[in-house]
Amino acid sequence: MLTTTYWRWSAGVQLARLPTAMAPLAFTSLTTAVTGSYRLGGVLMAVYAVAEMAGAVPVGRVLDRVGAARGLRVLLVLVAAGTAGLALAAASGASGPVLLALVVLPGLAGGGLSGGFRSLLATVVRPDQLTRAIAVDAMLLDGVLVAGPLLVGALVLTGPLAPLFAMAAAGAGAAVLVPKRTADRATTRVKVPLVACLPWLACQFTVGLLLSTIEVAPLPLVQCLGAPAAAAPVVVAVLCGASIAGSAVYAWRGRGGPRLFLTAFVAGGALVAANLGWAGLITGVVLVGAATGPLVTIASVRIQRLLPENRRSEGFSVSFTVQSCGYGLGSLAIGVLPLWLAPLPGVAAAAITIGWLRNPFRPGGRRCDADAESRATIGTASATS
């Protein structure tokens, strides 16, 4: 059973993720109402995303030095204050350049949140609970990504500023919920084994690359099948449902290694690209969705095993940045490649990563190798104490 502290951590991290999930629609709704241009909202979102990526590693490094729990509280307060400040500036009629400058603060501060919370998770759960904890978190993340735009849609009915104030409130609430634990502080510069992490970073990159080609292109995918635009949400719903189900099964059973789930990515992406009708599209989307949560879980556990304890915030910030880069490139592929070709870079990345992983998990294992090694480590420690 996962502990009460884990559920407090989980509530905090979901609230911390909510502003990012709400931001695209919130910014567009705000600028459309205030300036009459949705394009400024798109530019705001782009600046926000770039600031997040630029701040992820430096902010993660600072978190390692001051302690993840303490640093997260400060960052979340900055996110809340920056978002509220942006809303107040828009209400006062601030110009576009001023709004663009103000969105940098919550973006920079928010860039280190994922790495900091993931680093803190290692102090919240036992090693043998880690795989299940990450898989459960992957399920809840899908729920946040769906709930964010829906919440904006409901709040914007009360006024264009309401979603931004809700984002600020979520940041403040997350700061209160950060568990009162501290990860080890970096007193010496221990080298991060980046080369050893590369195969697992490749898994994260592949997830972002292939997933985005489906999430960004539901409308053209259904139009190729002669379906109306109203059918596009069906693709997104199937993807999210499969992802939640895959994470739930993996949290329960914990079976399967990275090559299995990468193979599902290859097959699913190829089916989406092949334009084989509704059966091919839905089957491909289900395969990709069901493999996403387990693959992210395995990669995250493996990366933690490789990272020094006092460099985890920085290391996980690198991991999340790599996945975001993959997501961005997948979105770009939709814009510059023919639709049938757009999923194939993700398929190729998955196939290459399969070859890269020369040490697959033992077949037939009852649980993820990470759990088995964790139990072995605990047993060894007990025997020597």
Side-chain angles (χ1 to χ4, degrees):
M1 293 291 292
L2 296 171
T3 64
T4 302
T5 306
Y6 169 79
W7 292 113
R8 174 173 176 159
W9 173 91
S10 180
V13 74
Q14 308 317 326
L15 279 178
R17 289 166 173 162
L18 190 58
T20 299
M22 295 173 65
L25 186 55
F27 290 164
T28 303
S29 300
L30 173 70
T31 59
T32 301
V34 173
T35 69
S37 172
Y38 71 89
R39 296 183 186 277
L40 178 59
V43 178
L44 277 175
M45 187 60 214
V47 172
Y48 181 82
V50 170
E52 277 191 323
M53 293 179 63
V57 175
V59 172
R61 190 170 296 165
V62 171
L63 288 178
D64 284 326
R65 292 189 176 278
V66 303
R70 178 185 299 176
L72 283 171
R73 294 189 192 99
V74 174
L75 289 178
L76 287 163
V77 169
L78 290 175
V79 169
T83 307
L86 178 65
L88 293 174
S92 66
S95 63
V98 172
L99 297 180
L100 291 173
L102 290 175
V103 83
V104 172
L105 173 60
L108 285 174
L113 294 179
S114 294
F117 269 105
R118 179 60 185 82
S119 172
L120 196 59
L121 178 60
T123 70
V124 168
V125 298
R126 300 193 311 268
D128 61 307
Q129 294 179 321
L130 184 62
T131 296
R132 178 166 296 172
I134 296 173
V136 169
D137 182 59
M139 295 168 54
L140 297 176
L141 172 59
D142 285 316
V144 171
L145 295 178
V146 173
L150 294 177
L151 182 59
V152 173
L155 290 173
V156 79
L157 298 176
T158 66
L161 300 178
L164 270 75
F165 285 121
M167 291 164 61
V176 174
L177 289 170
V178 173
K180 297 179 180 179
R181 306 266 183 114
T182 56
D184 293 339
R185 302 181 188 180
T187 55
T188 58
R189 295 292 294 173
V190 181
K191 185 177 179 181
V192 173
L194 185 58
V195 174
C197 291
L198 284 178
W200 308 109
L201 292 175
C203 289
Q204 302 275 30
F205 178 82
T206 300
V207 168
L209 184 61
L210 186 55
L211 203 61
S212 64
T213 59
I214 299 174
E215 290 184 342
V216 174
L219 180 57
L221 286 172
V222 299
Q223 286 178 336
C224 282
L225 301 177
V234 174
V235 176
V236 178
V238 170
L239 181 67
C240 291
S243 181
I244 293 172
S247 296
V249 172
Y250 195 74
W252 174 45
R253 302 294 293 174
R255 293 182 178 179
R259 289 187 173 185
L260 171 65
F261 299 114
L262 286 165
T263 300
F265 264 43
V266 171
L271 284 171
V272 171
N275 192 21
L276 298 178
W278 275 105
L281 176 61
I282 296 300
T283 302
V285 169
V286 167
L287 285 172
V288 172
T292 296
L295 186 58
V296 170
T297 300
I298 292 169
S300 184
V301 171
R302 285 294 184 119
I303 289 172
Q304 176 173 314
R305 190 184 305 162
L306 293 168
L307 290 173
E309 290 187 9
N310 57 10
R311 299 291 296 277
R312 283 176 177 166
S313 293
E314 180 184 352
F316 283 119
S317 293
V318 171
S319 171
F320 290 117
T321 301
V322 167
Q323 186 170 338
S324 296
C325 288
Y327 197 95
L329 289 175
S331 301
L332 180 62
I334 294 296
V336 300
L337 296 177
L339 184 61
W340 69 269
L341 192 58
L344 296 187
V347 172
I352 292 170
T353 306
I354 289 173
W356 205 344
L357 297 173
R358 293 171 296 180
N359 298 311
F361 297 143
R362 292 186 298 273
R366 291 190 60 80
R367 294 199 61 80
C368 173
D369 191 40
D371 286 348
E373 292 195 16
S374 298
R375 290 196 297 272
T377 301
I378 295 172
T380 302
S382 300
T384 56
S385 60

